[in-house]
Amino acid sequence: MALLERNHLAGAASDAVNAILVAAGHNMRLLIAYLTAFWRVLITAWLSALPP
């Protein structure tokens, strides 16, 4: 699956902006995945600490 699509802007500056935006999007995906895993562990630990 190709997440990087065609850059519709022209010029070297637009290529740089496009690369920065792609990197920012990638970092956001990683952050969301990390936070999702963290919340799952936190909620699981909290639920297992509750009395039956």
Side-chain angles (χ1 to χ4, degrees):
M1 179 169 93
L3 297 176
L4 182 63
E5 294 190 14
R6 185 176 183 274
N7 183 8
H8 295 284
L9 304 174
S14 67
D15 291 339
V17 169
N18 191 48
I20 290 171
L21 292 175
V22 167
H26 176 69
N27 288 338
M28 290 297 291
R29 281 192 298 272
L30 290 177
L31 182 62
I32 290 170
Y34 172 76
L35 289 175
T36 301
F38 174 73
W39 277 109
R40 284 184 180 164
V41 168
L42 193 66
I43 290 172
T44 302
W46 178 67
L47 288 176
S48 66
L50 291 175

